[in-house]
Amino acid sequence: MTELPEGVQRVAAALQAKNHPHGPVMLDGAARTAQQAADALGVAVGQIAKSIIFKRIEDDVAVLVVTSGDRRVDEAKVAALVGPLGRANAAFVKERTGFSIGGVSPVAHAMPGVTLIDQELFRFEEVWAAAGHPHGVFKLHPEHLVALTGAPVADVVEAPDAEDELDILARQDAMKMLAARALSVGVMAENVPSPCVNVCRMNTGSGLCEGCFRTIDEIREWGRSDDAAKKRMWADITQRLRQTHPEAFS
């Protein structure tokens, strides 16, 4: 513990105090960007819970937005929730959080601030956040962010870019994979697998993920559900998939 950088030690202590099951780990290389962290961990960029700091103009309070690594924060959406914002320079980030840019953890800040959690993180069963140092990260479920920070979940990011032809083909393949899994889950008594197929795009019309056909609430609940509850969720997914993509079962 004492061999870890000071910032990582603070994060580790905060996680222990909250009985979080996963402590910080140190990567061989720096993970200052979401892509660097994802490459080092072997996960999707969206699974990196990156920390973006703004300065609230009216009182100079730090505003932390914990967002999915494949999304861009919509400053106007954030300002509508917390008030007008200004840019936070490196000195401000260090003073208010105690961490340098590239290693800002969502917990153990030097001074209290305002935190918002991007709802897009709930597309994933498992995410990784910075642990107080450019080489430090820790694992968690998205719902753990709520428990650790007490912050609300909100729509704080720009709409993703429109799909191109390759995206459409990937989604079609994902539907076939999801249908095959759905047919196999019925005979499973335990260790029910996740429906996630790494196509993580919420459809604003249906309210469902276009990859796994779950709602945000279902994605949030999956990690704390037992096998029986997971099978019931799979039954709902299968019904939705048969109604909208019957060709996936052929």
Side-chain angles (χ1 to χ4, degrees):
M1 178 75 170
T2 57
E3 295 178 357
L4 294 173
E6 187 275 334
V8 181
Q9 291 184 43
R10 283 196 287 120
V11 172
L15 295 176
Q16 287 177 351
K18 293 279 190 176
N19 295 315
H20 185 69
H22 305 291
V25 297
M26 300 298 290
L27 303 175
D28 291 335
R32 293 183 182 274
T33 68
Q35 187 64 65
Q36 286 176 336
D39 290 344
L41 293 165
V43 299
V45 177
Q47 289 178 264
I48 303 303
K50 62 184 180 181
S51 295
I52 308 297
I53 298 287
F54 296 95
K55 179 168 64 174
R56 189 160 62 185
I57 293 173
E58 65 179 4
D59 54 10
D60 279 355
V61 164
V63 176
L64 166 66
V65 181
V66 186
T67 184
S68 187
D70 62 349
R71 296 291 188 258
R72 293 188 297 269
V73 173
D74 188 323
E75 188 173 332
K77 288 182 178 180
V78 177
L81 294 171
V82 304
L85 302 172
R87 294 294 176 183
N89 61 26
F92 177 86
V93 172
K94 180 67 173 179
E95 176 192 6
R96 299 307 173 96
T97 70
F99 307 118
S100 299
I101 292 174
V104 177
S105 170
V107 300
H109 286 201
M111 301 174 65
V114 175
T115 301
L116 298 172
I117 299 169
D118 175 14
Q119 66 181 17
E120 292 291 303
L121 285 164
F122 288 85
R123 296 172 292 160
F124 303 100
E125 300 302 323
E126 176 183 289
V127 297
W128 292 79
H133 186 277
H135 291 236
V137 293
F138 69 97
K139 182 168 65 173
L140 67 166
H141 296 298
E143 60 266 23
H144 288 153
L145 276 171
V146 178
L148 290 169
T149 65
V153 178
D155 175 8
V156 291
V157 297
E158 298 175 2
D161 296 333
E163 288 185 313
D164 60 21
E165 186 175 351
L166 289 177
D167 290 328
I168 294 171
L169 290 173
R171 186 155 54 86
Q172 290 173 346
D173 288 342
M175 292 304 96
K176 293 179 181 179
M177 183 186 305
L178 187 64
R181 287 188 185 178
L183 294 176
S184 66
V185 163
V187 298
M188 295 181 179
E190 56 185 17
N191 299 322
V192 176
S194 168
C196 183
V197 290
N198 292 324
V199 175
C200 304
R201 181 187 178 100
M202 297 305 296
N203 186 301
T204 55
S206 68
L208 301 174
C209 172
E210 293 182 357
C212 68
F213 277 67
R214 289 178 293 177
T215 66
I216 284 289
D217 286 341
E218 288 172 336
I219 293 171
R220 184 182 295 122
E221 289 296 323
W222 181 269
R224 52 193 176 208
S225 297
D226 59 19
D227 283 319
K230 289 177 179 178
K231 289 189 72 171
R232 288 193 295 271
M233 206 178 297
W234 263 110
D236 292 337
I237 292 167
T238 303
Q239 183 178 11
R240 295 165 189 162
L241 188 59
R242 285 190 182 279
Q243 290 174 342
T244 58
H245 293 77
E247 72 282 357
F249 292 89
S250 60

